[in-house]
Amino acid sequence: MSAPARRRPVPPASPAATARPVPPTPAASPAATAGPVPPTPADPPPVRAPERGVRPDRLPVEYVLPLRWSDDAGLAELTGYLRAIAALVDVTVVDGSPPEVFAQHAAAWRGVVRHVAPDPAVQGVNGKVRGVLTGVAMARHEHVVIADDDVRYDEPALRTAHRLLDVTDLVRPQNYFDPLPWHAWWDTGRTLLNRALGADYPGTLAVRRSTFRAMGGYDPDVLFENLELIRTVRAYGGTEAAPAGLYVRRLPPTAAHFRGQRVRQAYDDLAQPVRLLTSLAVLPGVLAALAARRPGALLAAAAATVALAERGRRWAGGTAVFPPTTALAAPLWLLERGGCAWLALARRVLRGGVRYGDGRVRRAAHFEHTLRRRLTRR
């Protein structure tokens, strides 16, 4: 499959050039403001920022971190990061951890960030989305950065996201793993292919609070929550910027966590039919080549996949954060996804969905035309 034509990215320091010009976000109205989720709480009263050393160039940005931990193995590292980031922006951690873990977090982060539990009025299967809905509703600023607990922004990336939100409704940065153990190297193959074919799906997005609330947030009963948020903003008529050169570091998961996510991540493809069909075709294609005793065809396909990944690695200065060997991971990742896609489809058909936390999620994400009809009706 050939890659679609893409615009040449512009360095992220120029927000006006990076964002794609589209019509402005429509004004909120009773008919258009209701979204696919229960309305978020009313605007809270202003909250005084925790006492700390205040820099004169602090950004008017809310950093929303939804998390749910069963233990505190990474607490010291995360606390250090939160102290650094709280010197630049206001931080709200929406913590769905068990009570004893929540209490440990409260003690560690007192005076550093605003630490709250998810709003019990917000219901849904996806705990991360419930945390995001709570955090954005409580945000003290128009510009909101939403980030997973393994995302590590630096100051230039925060400032770039902030500038881009002046001209667009949603910003999609590019994550990269650092450090790079074997399983992060493996998953980087996926990242490079996504970059070569358009844009990757990171563990962080930045959004305008007014747009988020006017469209009614997004559905907390889907698995692929970032795609759901991106599609909901588009369906509402909002604008999106996906600067390929806006790099944000991400910590790798443990190898055990990585292994446990393989089928669940493949389930995301059920919301992207072209990707799903491509993934499902991988194993039959490999078996057909082996049955025909045509190893050359397999080698040619692997070489083409590496070349495509290398294109993604070189795009927008990616060689600075993606080592040369990462392109070699692309065929291995594609072969793995080909097998996991069949397992994901089986779980949809035979079990009604894939397990997520204590429940089961059937829908990966809604299609954009479905979201558009919902927003039009309401």
Side-chain angles (χ1 to χ4, degrees):
M1 183 174 62
S2 60
R6 300 171 299 168
R7 300 187 316 280
R8 183 177 181 82
V10 180
S14 174
T18 312
R20 173 169 49 87
V22 294
T25 303
S29 67
T33 54
V37 299
T40 49
D43 290 342
V47 178
R48 182 181 176 133
E51 293 295 330
R52 56 179 175 262
V54 177
R55 289 176 44 164
D57 56 346
R58 273 175 63 84
L59 300 174
V61 171
E62 191 79 34
Y63 188 100
V64 173
L65 169 58
L67 60 79
R68 187 182 189 279
W69 284 9
S70 57
D71 62 68
D72 279 335
L75 180 59
E77 190 279 335
L78 179 59
T79 300
Y81 171 69
L82 291 177
R83 289 185 183 278
I85 213 73
L88 298 170
V89 297
D90 287 316
V91 180
T92 296
V93 178
V94 184
D95 190 352
S97 303
E100 62 278 7
V101 179
F102 184 97
Q104 293 171 4
H105 293 171
W109 300 334
R110 186 172 294 112
V112 178
V113 303
R114 179 169 58 180
H115 178 231
V116 299
D119 183 352
V122 179
Q123 299 296 310
V125 176
N126 194 309
K128 176 184 173 181
V129 178
R130 296 200 308 270
V132 171
L133 293 170
T134 300
V136 175
M138 299 179 67
R140 293 154 284 194
H141 303 287
E142 168 69 354
H143 293 180
V144 180
V145 171
I146 302 165
D148 291 347
D149 58 5
D150 57 1
V151 169
R152 297 294 178 266
Y153 274 86
D154 58 15
E155 183 173 349
L158 274 176
R159 292 190 178 279
T160 299
H162 172 54
R163 288 195 300 267
L164 286 170
L165 285 176
D166 285 334
V167 295
T168 194
D169 294 290
L170 182 138
V171 178
R172 185 177 1 169
Q174 172 65 67
N175 280 148
Y176 66 95
F177 286 117
D178 182 22
L180 195 70
W182 72 267
H183 54 284
W185 170 84
W186 184 290
D187 204 39
T188 300
R190 169 194 57 82
T191 297
L192 299 184
L193 291 175
N194 280 341
R195 283 169 61 82
L197 296 172
D200 191 29
Y201 294 99
T204 177
L205 296 170
V207 66
R208 287 182 182 173
R209 182 178 185 268
S210 57
T211 301
F212 187 95
R213 286 176 58 76
M215 70 189 193
Y218 61 125
D219 197 323
D221 289 320
V222 300
L223 183 68
F224 197 173
E225 79 288 336
N226 278 353
L227 178 60
E228 183 78 4
L229 177 52
I230 291 168
R231 285 181 173 176
T232 305
V233 169
R234 291 175 182 166
Y236 180 71
T239 61
E240 175 194 359
L246 176 53
Y247 295 109
V248 178
R249 178 180 173 231
R250 191 169 192 177
L251 303 179
T254 64
H257 186 71
F258 170 81
R259 287 191 295 268
Q261 286 184 317
R262 307 332 300 148
V263 176
R264 198 176 83 183
Q265 289 189 356
Y267 199 89
D268 292 343
D269 284 351
L270 271 66
Q272 303 170 96
V274 173
R275 289 175 183 256
L276 178 62
L277 291 175
T278 302
S279 299
L280 293 175
V282 170
L283 284 187
V286 170
L287 294 175
L290 292 175
R293 297 183 179 180
R294 296 182 58 189
L298 293 178
L299 291 175
T305 304
V306 171
L308 185 62
E310 181 64 15
R311 178 184 178 185
R313 191 181 79 88
R314 293 172 181 268
W315 187 253
T319 55
V321 295
F322 301 117
T325 59
T326 51
L328 299 176
L332 298 174
W333 176 85
L334 188 60
L335 185 61
E336 172 232 302
R337 177 53 62 93
C340 290
W342 284 101
L343 295 175
L345 186 61
R347 292 190 182 182
R348 171 66 177 266
V349 174
L350 301 177
R351 301 184 184 180
V354 66
R355 290 205 62 82
Y356 179 89
D358 299 328
R360 190 175 293 277
V361 182
R362 177 175 177 80
R363 188 177 299 277
H366 290 92
F367 294 114
E368 193 172 326
H369 61 82
T370 302
L371 295 169
R372 191 177 296 113
R373 284 200 303 267
R374 282 187 175 185
L375 291 167
T376 301
R377 285 198 306 264
R378 294 169 183 259

